[in-house]
Amino acid sequence: MSAPDGEIPDGSASAGAGLAAWAGKSAAEWKGEATSGIANRFEGPDGFWGKITTHVFDPAAADLADLQDRTQILEGVIGYAHAYCTGGAPVGNADTFIPLNIPVGPAVGVTRTSNRFLLGSRGLWIAQGQIGYDSISGVLNTYINAQIRIYTPGGTLFAQRIAETVTSAQHTCTVQMPFVVPAAGYWAELWGFMGLARGIKGGSNWTGLSVQKESTETS
């Protein structure tokens, strides 16, 4: 059998000089080289322990792992949406649904459908609403309010909070409500009560609703 083409590495058993060098080594030298070879595989930055140390004890790697863990936890908690009404003069002297027809920024875990918010998960939420009212002449029909309403998936009123006042002057009603829903599919809506011919001031600076999720816990 012929030897393979190419150079023979120095010190290999197939090279005469290398074979003679191997044969002339003492037992202590053999043991030292073997121990050194094993140590090189475990020590140093490229060795086994070096790589373990880099991955386990490196602060940046630890921070990244912590961030990933936190992100996974927050994925089940996060939820928010914001929208406002363009205003108008709805029929007064009755509770009136205020349409949230213009979104503000992105929405996560919430869908704006039919100008109201559909909540995508159970848990503790906080809603914040505001309605800006135009002034009205005279002393009649001066009662106004702003309402946050939560409805079940089947359309039953589930929770409500009201902020109210009596004035003929231009006025802004604000209302905030924490609430807990046991499942996805509940609705968050903005309602108001105003006198006849009393207008609602439109725009993001006057009339709108925000919802934000705080926790997946329900009790």
Side-chain angles (χ1 to χ4, degrees), residues 101-157:
N101 54 326
I102 306 295
V104 178
V108 175
V110 181
T111 304
R112 189 179 63 87
T113 302
S114 300
N115 293 324
R116 63 201 76 196
F117 292 143
L118 176 62
L119 308 179
S121 59
R122 70 177 189 181
L124 171 64
W125 295 75
I126 294 179
Q128 300 181 73
Q130 176 175 300
I131 302 176
Y133 288 104
D134 290 329
S135 60
I136 188 171
S137 59
V139 296
L140 298 177
N141 302 320
T142 57
Y143 173 81
I144 53 176
N145 72 29
Q147 309 170 32
I148 292 174
R149 294 188 180 190
I150 310 301
Y151 287 91
T152 67
T156 302
L157 183 62

Side-chain angles (χ1 to χ4, degrees), residues 56-68:
V56 175
F57 299 105
D58 178 72
D63 289 345
L64 178 59
D66 182 60
L67 178 60
Q68 291 172 336

Side-chain angles (χ1 to χ4, degrees), residues 170-206:
Q170 175 180 291
H171 188 78
T172 299
C173 288
T174 60
V175 58
Q176 181 184 62
M177 179 176 71
F179 61 95
V180 175
V181 293
Y186 281 67
W187 298 87
E189 302 180 2
L190 182 63
W191 287 66
F193 184 100
M194 73 291 295
L196 287 172
R198 190 164 196 169
I200 291 177
K201 301 172 76 66
S204 61
N205 54 330
W206 288 109

